[in-house]
Amino acid sequence: MIEARRLHILRAVADHRTVTAAAAALYLTPSAVSQQLTALEQETGHRLVERSARGVRLTPAGEILLAHTNAVLAQLERAEAELAAYSSGAAGTVTLASFATGIGLVVAPALARLAETAPGIRVRVQDAEGDASLPMVLDRQVDVAVAVEYRGAPGADDSRLTRVALYAEPFDAVLPGGHRAADSERIPLAELAKDPWIGPFPGNPCHDVVVLACEQAGFQPVLEHTSDDFRAVVALAAAGAGVALVPRSALRGMEVTGAVVRPVDGNAPTRRVFAAVRTGAEGHPLIAPVLDALGEAAG
């Protein structure tokens, strides 16, 4: 008989590609993960992983089992949801990870709605960049992620996750007040090709949006300054340090003295924000109201 918790460990190893990283994500020791993998191989009668200096990869038998693992774990999530519904599920705690702007824009309003519509549900919020929250959901560190599209993200067709679209927002150009294009109503990105740029660190989903938008405009931006804090980005632009692209919601209520904000001409770069849960958990009586509240706040 295959134990479900060992299947979860197998998926974590496949996702993180090393035993050490999988162990950290699951709050286990590497030796415990290795022992569970060995036990799973004994249960199945097949070698499931191959270890090398570069990490761990699944064998063909491991890949077969992983495909079934995703379906099994999703069905277990559904079973938990139905059992929770059977016992009313009127009270409990949901953990949610979101990037900072998402917390302000949709998570906080959703919590205010839930306080009125589902007072028994307590939501614990963690600040996490858009590229960190999805692995946290898959590793069961949190129940819900508010995330953004980024290179390398699990796709919309990934069977492990169920998504709820929340909102899409454009990036605006932020220029020093004395910039040659400051008087323009809209900014063609190609005009900024030779400027120094200010932007998020590589790995931040917004970094991918900025770089991709510039590449589509025909150039590679020269990032002279990096910060994941958009207030710092705007302050640097106001000081004349360079130009930037900043999500519109991040600019709301921000002091931009010394800088000008202009929409991008043509197809503006956009970040698409969604909520995600482990497939099968979307019907859980604690999680479903949270997803509904997020959707209402975004709408």
Side-chain angles (χ1 to χ4, degrees):
M1 181 68 70
I2 298 174
E3 290 193 18
R5 65 191 178 102
R6 290 174 182 155
L7 294 178
H8 182 64
I9 289 172
L10 178 71
R11 186 163 80 177
V13 169
D15 286 343
H16 294 281
R17 300 181 186 277
T18 71
V19 168
T20 301
L26 298 173
Y27 300 104
L28 297 172
T29 64
S31 62
V33 169
S34 294
Q35 289 170 6
Q36 292 300 316
L37 287 174
T38 298
L40 185 58
E41 289 180 328
Q42 292 173 346
E43 288 172 345
T44 61
H46 292 278
R47 187 180 180 187
L48 302 174
V49 298
E50 292 181 348
R51 295 171 174 80
S52 69
R54 292 181 295 178
V56 174
R57 69 180 184 87
L58 299 188
T59 64
E63 294 286 356
I64 291 172
L65 183 58
L66 179 64
H68 289 284
T69 291
N70 293 331
V72 168
L73 295 182
Q75 191 60 39
L76 286 174
E77 293 282 356
R78 295 186 186 98
E80 289 181 9
E82 289 189 19
L83 287 171
Y86 176 75
S87 59
S88 83
T93 299
V94 175
T95 53
L96 182 152
S98 171
F99 57 100
T101 308
I103 291 174
L105 196 61
V106 293
V107 175
L111 264 59
R113 291 171 185 266
L114 287 168
E116 298 179 357
T117 61
I121 298 177
R122 177 188 175 211
V123 181
R124 290 206 331 254
V125 179
Q126 299 181 36
D127 189 330
E129 288 298 337
D131 60 335
S133 57
L134 294 179
M136 292 171 72
V137 167
L138 290 172
D139 291 332
R140 301 182 70 88
Q141 296 175 14
V142 298
D143 301 308
V144 182
V146 173
V148 299
E149 297 285 0
Y150 61 92
R151 291 178 181 177
D157 59 349
D158 191 312
S159 63
R160 300 173 298 171
L161 295 169
T162 294
R163 295 186 180 201
V164 176
L166 295 179
Y167 64 92
E169 63 172 328
F171 282 58
D172 288 326
V174 180
L175 315 175
H179 192 275
R180 62 188 180 279
D183 293 332
S184 301
E185 291 186 4
R186 305 182 74 86
I187 306 297
L189 286 184
E191 289 190 11
L192 308 179
K194 295 183 179 180
D195 285 278
W197 279 74
I198 311 158
F201 285 96
N204 184 314
C206 289
H207 173 90
D208 290 345
V209 174
V210 171
V211 171
L212 182 59
C214 292
E215 289 174 350
Q216 290 174 342
F219 69 96
Q220 187 75 26
V222 177
L223 281 171
E224 293 280 356
H225 311 282
T226 51
S227 173
D228 287 337
D229 186 332
F230 288 120
R231 293 185 182 275
V233 171
V234 171
L236 287 169
V243 300
L245 289 173
V246 176
R248 187 165 292 172
S249 65
L251 292 165
R252 292 179 184 172
M254 190 185 298
E255 176 61 54
V256 294
T257 302
V260 295
V261 178
R262 297 287 185 268
V264 174
D265 191 36
N267 293 325
T270 302
R271 73 170 171 181
R272 305 187 184 282
V273 180
F274 58 91
V277 299
R278 293 179 296 277
T279 295
E282 65 274 11
H284 193 287
L286 296 179
I287 293 175
V290 174
L291 294 177
D292 290 342
L294 288 170
E296 291 172 7

